[in-house]
C-alpha cells in the first residue's frame, strides 16, 4: 500500500488530505479543506496577500488534522504531494516550503503537482476511468477542453479566448451585488428566476472553432442590469437564471464539436467518457445540461462529487499517487519551485485563461 499526503494552497482554500493506493484502488483516508471565504468576503474576491497570510497561519493545523483524521502519523506516509502551480505565488510558496520541510524532516519523497492535473485525474479515483478521456475543466481561472491521454499527457483542444467561466460567474455576481463567492450565489438566485426574460448572447455559437468566449456575455449582463437600475430581487434572479441558461447552452454547443472530434479520433471506444471538473462543475444546471448532451451523443457523463470538484487536497494526493505509480515522480523533488503559470499542455499555444490563475478580485 502507498499512502500520500496532499497539500493544496494555490488559491483561497488551505487543504490537506491523505489518499492510499492498494491493488490499483484509491481510497480517501481524510480530507480537510479550510475555506478563506470569511477573510475575503468584505473585498468581494480573493486578495492575494490575505490569502498567503491565511495559508501560513493555518496550513500546519490543517496538515495535522488530515493526518489525525486518517489515524496516521507522518512516519506512516510514503510521500508528500504539493501543488506547485499554477496559482497565486504567495500561497504556492507556503505549500511548497511546508511540503519540503515535512519531506526533509521525515525523509519522505516529494512530488510537485500541477493543480490542473489534480482536477484532470480526480475521475480516475472516483470512477476508475481508463485513458483516454475528454475533460472539460471549468474553474475560476480556466475553461479548457483537454484530451487526457495518460498521466502527464494532456492535449489542449480548446480554451477560453477571454474570461474563464468561473470568472464570468464571479463578475456577474459582483455586478449584481451578490455575495462572494459568485458561482454559488448566482446559482442560488437563478433557482427562483425566469431564464427566458433576458435574451443574452451565446458567444461563438455554431462557429467552427472549439474555443470558448464569455466576455460578450458578461457585457450583455452588465447592459441588462444597467437598463433596469435600481434592481429589484426579481430582476437579479431573472438575470442570474438567464445568464446560467446562456452559459449552459454555450457549453453544450462548444463541447458538441469536441465530442465529434473525439469520436473521429477514437472510433473504437464505444461509450467514451466526458469528465467535467473544476469549481464550476459543481453547478447543477450545467451538470444536467451536459448530462443531457452526453445522453444524446452516446458519451458517458462523469462528474466527481461536488466537494471534489471545488479545490481540495484529495486531488493533489491522488495525482501524486498516479505519478508515483507511473514512475514519474523524481526520488527527491527538494528543488521543486512554485510556478504561478504552468499550463497542462506545454505544447499548446499561449492563450489567456490557460495555465493562469490569478486573484479573483
Ligand atoms: O476549481 P475552483 O474551486 O478554483 C479554481 O481552481 O479556480 O473554482 C472556483 C470557481 C469560482 O469562480 C466559483 O465561483 C466557481 O468555481 N463555482 C461555481 C459554483 N461553485 C463554484 N460556479 C457556478 N456554480 C457553482 N455552484
Ligand atoms: Zn481548482
Amino acid at each position: 500500500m502507498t499512502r500520500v499526503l496532499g497539500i493544496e494552497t494555490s488559491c483561497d482554500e488551505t487543504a490537506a488530505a491523505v489518499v492510499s493506493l492498494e491493488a490499483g484502488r484509491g481510497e480517501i483516508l481524510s480530507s480537510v479543506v479550510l475555506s478563506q471565504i470569511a477573510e475575503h468576503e468584505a473585498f468581494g474576491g480573493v486578495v492575494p496577500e490575505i490569502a498567503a497570510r491565511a495559508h501560513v497561519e493555518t496550513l500546519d493545523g490543517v496538515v495535522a488534522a488530515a493526518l489525525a483524521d486518517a489515524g496516521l502519523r507522518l512516519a506512516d506516509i510514503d510521500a508528500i504531494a504539493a501543488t506547485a502551480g499554477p496559482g497565486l505565488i504567495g500561497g504556492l510558496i507556503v505549500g511548497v516550503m511546508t511540503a519540503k520541510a515535512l519531506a526533509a524532516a521525515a525523509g519522505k519523497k516529494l512530488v510537485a503537482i500541477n493543480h490542473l492535473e489534480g482536477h484532470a485525474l480526480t475521475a480516475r479515483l472516483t470512477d476508475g476511468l481508463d485513458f483516454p478521456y475528454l475533460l472539460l475543466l471549468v474553474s475560476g481561472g480556466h475553461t479548457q477542453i483537454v484530451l487526457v491521454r495518460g498521466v502527464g499527457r494532456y492535449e489542449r483542444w480548446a480554451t477560453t479566448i477571454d474570461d474563464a467561466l468561473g470568472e464570468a460567474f464571479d463578475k456577474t455576481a459582483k455586478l449584481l451585488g451578490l455575495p462572494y463567492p459568485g458561482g454559488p450565489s448566482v446559482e442560488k438566485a437563478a433557482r427562483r428566476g425566469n431564464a427566458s426574460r433576458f435574451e443574452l448572447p451565446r458567444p461563438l455559437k455554431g462557429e467552427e472553432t472549439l474555443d470558448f468566449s464569455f466576455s460578450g456575455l458578461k457585457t450583455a449582463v452588465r447592459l441588462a442590469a444597467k437598463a433596469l437600475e435600481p434592481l429589484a430581487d426579481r430582476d437579479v434572479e431573472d438575470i442570474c437564471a438567464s445568464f446560467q441558461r446562456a452559459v449552459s447552452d454555450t457549453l453544450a454547443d462548444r463541447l458538441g464539436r469536441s465530442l465529434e472530434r473525439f469520436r473521429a479520433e477514437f472510433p473504437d471506444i464505444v461509450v467514451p467518457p466526458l469528465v467535467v471538473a473544476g469549481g464550476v462543475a459543481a453547478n447543477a444546471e450545467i451538470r444536467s445540461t451536459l448530462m443531457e448532451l452526453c445522453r444524446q451523443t452516446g458519451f458517458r457523463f462523469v462528474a466527481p462529487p461536488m466537494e471534489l470538484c471545488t479545490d481540495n487536497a484529495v486531488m493533489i494526493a491522488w495525482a501524486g499517487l498516479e505519478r508515483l505509480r507511473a514512475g514519474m515522480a523524481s526520488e527527491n523533488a527538494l528543488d521543486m519551485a512554485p510556478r504561478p503559470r504552468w499550463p497542462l499542455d506545454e505544447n499548446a499555444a499561449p492563450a489567456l485563461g490557460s495555465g493562469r490563475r490569478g486573484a479573483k478580485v
Side-chain angles (χ1 to χ4, degrees), residues 19-294:
V19 180
S20 69
L21 182 67
E22 191 171 20
R25 258 189 44 109
E27 193 186 338
I28 301 170
L29 302 184
S30 68
S31 175
V32 179
V33 180
L34 190 68
S35 167
Q36 302 174 0
I37 288 178
E39 280 90 335
H40 301 288
E41 203 169 15
F43 304 94
V46 178
V47 182
E49 291 76 9
I50 294 177
R53 178 168 291 265
H55 288 304
V56 171
E57 286 168 355
T58 59
L59 183 56
D60 287 352
V62 169
V63 167
L67 288 170
D69 286 357
L72 299 170
R73 293 163 307 139
L74 192 55
D76 305 319
I77 299 290
D78 297 288
I80 299 170
T83 302
L88 299 174
I89 184 70
L92 292 174
I93 291 174
V94 174
V96 165
M97 294 310 288
T98 301
K100 281 186 187 181
L102 291 172
K108 303 295 174 185
K109 275 187 209 160
L110 190 59
V111 192
I113 299 296
N114 182 319
H115 177 88
L116 305 173
E117 178 168 67
H119 281 302
L121 297 177
T122 302
R124 283 171 47 79
L125 167 67
T126 56
D127 294 79
L129 289 192
D130 289 327
F131 298 121
Y133 54 86
L134 202 59
L135 167 76
L136 171 67
L137 180 61
V138 272
S139 66
H142 297 89
T143 304
Q144 299 183 11
I145 296 173
V146 178
L147 171 65
V148 182
R149 284 189 188 275
V151 179
R153 295 175 60 213
Y154 311 103
E155 217 173 88
R156 194 189 78 208
W157 281 8
T159 181
T160 175
I161 56 173
D162 40 57
D163 292 349
L165 186 50
E167 201 179 345
F169 267 94
D170 293 334
K171 286 180 179 166
T172 295
K174 204 167 185 181
L175 178 93
L176 298 174
L178 295 173
Y180 158 86
S185 301
V186 169
E187 179 170 25
K188 194 163 155 228
R191 252 180 248 139
R192 295 183 297 270
N194 170 6
S196 22
R197 174 160 161 209
F198 297 95
E199 286 231 1
L200 299 174
R202 272 62 174 159
L204 299 176
K205 184 159 188 170
E207 300 277 328
E208 196 86 9
T209 173
L210 303 184
D211 284 336
F212 299 93
S213 164
F214 294 104
S215 71
L217 183 53
K218 184 184 65 188
T219 306
V221 166
R222 197 178 61 234
L223 295 177
K226 222 175 161 72
L228 289 173
E229 266 167 7
L231 298 172
D233 286 353
R234 176 94 254 164
D235 299 325
V236 170
E237 289 159 10
D238 292 348
I239 292 176
C240 286
S242 304
F243 167 79
Q244 207 169 265
R245 178 66 53 80
V247 164
S248 301
D249 280 358
T250 303
L251 280 178
D253 171 69
R254 305 282 75 226
L255 248 167
R257 299 193 166 257
S258 288
L259 298 187
E260 280 167 25
R261 176 171 169 191
F262 190 97
R263 280 259 182 239
E265 291 202 13
F266 301 97
D268 298 340
I269 304 180
V270 182
V271 185
L274 170 69
V275 176
V276 191
V280 185
N283 185 286
E285 181 173 345
I286 290 176
R287 279 183 184 239
S288 63
T289 304
L290 298 179
M291 209 179 280
E292 176 57 20
L293 177 71
C294 285

Side-chain angles (χ1 to χ4, degrees), residues 306-321:
M306 306 279 188
E307 69 276 12
L308 295 181
C309 279
T310 47
D311 287 350
N312 64 85
V314 167
M315 66 182 193
I316 304 305
W318 173 249
L321 281 165

